[in-house]
Amino acid sequence: MEHRYAFPGVPTRRLVHISQMTEPMTVFDRALVRRRRERARAGYRDFAFLEEEVASRLVERLEDIRRRFPIALELGARSGALGRLLRANGAVETLVQADLAPGWAMERAAEGPALALDEELLPIADGALDAVFGVLSLHWVNDLPGALSQIRRALKPDGLMLIALLGGETLVELRDALSEAEIEVTGGLSPRVSPFADVRAAGGLLQRAGFALPVVDADTVPVTYATAFHLMRELKGMGESNTVLERRRTPTPRAVFTRAADIYAERFGLADGRIPARFQILYLTGWAPSADQPKPLRPGSAMARLSSALGTTEVAAGEVATGEVAAGEPPSGETPGVE
Amino acid sequence: MPGTDTAIGSETVTAVDPKLLEILVCPITKRPLSYDRARGELISEAAGLAFPIRAGVPIMLVEEARRLDEEPVIEPSVGDAAPEDLL
């Protein structure tokens, strides 16, 4: 079931909000996530495109929210793309940049206050922040509901969280090709691509974490690569290769990757010989609850009659006005409204 | 600057933005931290951990923290957590 939320300041893109619980479990090896991110720093410049693209899309969403934020925290600051845009945007007075990898955090310290932190154990006092932003940092978190609720606690009343994370449609082609190749070559299957949150679950998570006015919208960053090998190399370059705890511990036979690249090209290949891939991005918006926020009125508390707004005559329940047909019951025979 | 390990020198190395000090708490207990300017550490008595500050950047990661019980006890803080609250 989909719900549309229209709330002031945020455009209606694809607004989905679903109450659905997912249980937290330890799926990811956080120490490995950190090492991957740290290691990716050296050659990162060539792989920054996704961070930069998603950062600019996130800031577009922020521009729709006319608000000033005296102090804000950025999670997963990496090479600083979002930080640069936020500083240029001017809505944030003091931006604190954080990353799981101390190397990245120390690099960001040249631009302002920075720290290393683990999103699973947020070291921020309750009610300390006006906003929390983040790009592609929370998809390797084991307990996403817990991380979100820690963010909510760190916000002042009516503080904003606006974060982008990878969605469940990310790299589906790669996942299919790898699974199939692994089964063919080794006769077994091991987890290779992160189980991402989907749009539906994300909305429920926001609500469960105690956010008011939760909104999730999604879009896609489509890319093409020469081969599946180029795609996998890029993931490694971004520091985003597999950190699933139950990943295969022995080296994968090279034949698995070769076969996967073939399957990928055969099944999804484009006319020009390249292969398409897509990153689905979920944008999660939520506000720390505050008494000033718009809330639904209590039933029966209306100050004006619907009938006067519509310019019709009110009919008491149980009676049927002459010449009218009850809603939802098409009259038999003639098409209504046609003479 | 090598060789100029003065108090002022070490302070500039470990100086933390005051705005950071205002918002930071212990990642485990969410209790206030004390700032050990001389050692360049943020100390969580309740968790028994000292988080390092490197070039002004607090490293709030448990695996990077120094365990306080690895050296003589400094002083027990008043109203501290029961042992089961400790990590």
Side-chain angles (χ1 to χ4, degrees):
Chain A
M1 222 182 123
E2 292 197 358
H3 298 262
R4 278 176 182 275
Y5 274 78
F7 80 83
V10 169
T12 317
R13 286 187 181 89
R14 187 174 153 212
L15 306 183
V16 185
H17 163 229
I18 310 292
S19 302
Q20 186 182 320
M21 305 289 182
T22 54
E23 290 310 313
M25 15 173 220
T26 302
V27 176
F28 305 122
D29 181 340
R30 292 289 288 174
L32 184 61
V33 172
R34 198 183 131 199
R35 286 203 299 279
R36 291 259 159 87
R37 290 180 80 126
E38 200 75 78
R39 239 180 260 156
R41 283 179 56 229
Y44 187 77
R45 197 101 302 280
D46 295 340
F47 303 102
F49 87 96
L50 192 63
E51 178 195 334
E52 284 163 5
E53 178 61 31
V54 177
S56 75
R57 293 182 184 198
L58 189 93
V59 170
E60 271 175 39
R61 284 159 174 81
L62 179 64
E63 280 163 2
D64 298 324
I65 300 169
R66 289 157 194 278
R67 191 75 79 91
R68 286 194 64 77
F69 304 99
I71 183 159
L73 172 70
E74 183 196 347
L75 297 172
R78 285 199 192 79
S79 75
L82 181 60
R84 283 187 289 278
L85 292 171
L86 287 173
R87 289 199 172 94
N89 168 288
V92 175
E93 281 163 37
T94 300
L95 179 66
V96 175
Q97 288 180 288
D99 201 278
L100 176 64
W104 276 135
M106 293 177 75
E107 204 178 299
R108 300 280 67 75
E111 295 143 20
L115 74 150
L117 60 75
D118 185 340
E119 292 91 346
E120 292 187 351
L121 290 169
L122 204 62
I124 307 293
D126 287 0
L129 302 168
D130 297 287
V132 172
F133 303 106
V135 164
L136 306 178
S137 111
L138 290 178
H139 57 280
W140 293 124
V141 161
N142 284 302
D143 179 9
L144 188 54
L148 292 175
S149 94
Q150 291 184 60
I151 291 172
R152 199 253 309 139
R153 282 178 54 188
L155 289 168
K156 294 175 190 168
D158 210 27
L160 169 70
M161 179 190 72
L162 174 55
I163 55 169
L165 47 97
L166 291 173
E169 288 165 31
T170 298
L171 301 177
V172 280
E173 300 89 350
L174 178 64
R175 252 182 285 192
D176 284 359
L178 278 171
S179 310
E180 208 172 308
E182 191 171 10
I183 291 170
E184 271 185 42
V185 174
T186 69
L189 191 57
S190 63
R192 296 200 168 270
V193 180
S194 157
F196 300 115
D198 72 14
V199 177
R200 288 161 183 265
L205 292 180
L206 279 176
Q207 195 182 45
R208 183 173 159 194
F211 282 99
L213 306 163
V215 170
V216 179
D217 77 279
D219 65 14
T220 302
V221 181
V223 259
T224 67
Y225 295 92
T227 70
F229 285 108
H230 292 81
L231 166 58
M232 288 185 272
R233 204 169 303 148
E234 174 132 315
L235 294 175
K236 199 174 174 196
M238 290 193 283
E240 295 292 333
S241 42
N242 195 4
T243 58
V244 175
L245 267 176
E246 297 305 316
R247 69 193 180 276
R248 188 187 175 103
R249 298 302 172 128
T250 52
T252 304
R254 186 170 168 79
V256 170
F257 295 112
T258 317
R259 181 68 192 121
D262 290 345
I263 292 171
Y264 206 130
E266 281 161 24
R267 193 163 310 160
F268 308 107
L270 302 169
D272 64 359
R274 292 174 70 82
I275 55 142
R278 61 205 149 102
F279 297 92
Q280 186 194 28
I281 315 297
L282 308 185
Y283 303 85
L284 277 59
T285 310
W287 300 81
S290 151
D292 306 331
Q293 281 158 347
K295 285 189 180 58
L297 295 173
R298 198 165 40 80
S301 62
M303 302 297 284
R305 289 185 176 277
L306 182 62
S307 56
S308 49
L310 296 174
T312 66
T313 313
E314 191 166 346
V315 179
E319 295 174 30
V320 176
T322 46
E324 284 181 23
V325 178
E329 258 179 53
S332 52
E334 314 303 304
T335 314
V338 177
E339 292 188 30
Chain B
M1 273 186 289
T4 55
D5 195 16
T6 62
I8 292 165
S10 65
E11 199 169 301
T12 50
V13 165
T14 59
V16 183
D17 192 303
K19 287 201 171 105
L20 272 180
L21 293 177
E22 275 172 33
I23 64 169
L24 287 182
V25 292
C26 170
I28 295 161
T29 64
K30 307 273 183 192
R31 286 155 171 252
L33 297 159
S34 52
Y35 177 25
D36 184 337
R37 196 177 288 266
R39 291 191 74 140
E41 287 180 337
L42 290 167
I43 293 167
S44 171
E45 297 284 353
L49 294 171
F51 297 91
I53 298 166
R54 296 187 195 138
V57 178
I59 311 295
M60 304 305 293
L61 303 170
V62 174
E63 57 276 23
E64 296 285 307
R66 180 175 65 83
R67 295 192 62 92
L68 293 179
D69 60 15
E70 278 173 5
E71 55 158 39
V73 179
I74 304 163
E75 52 187 280
S77 63
V78 183
D80 221 328
E84 59 266 28
D85 286 342
L86 307 179
L87 182 70

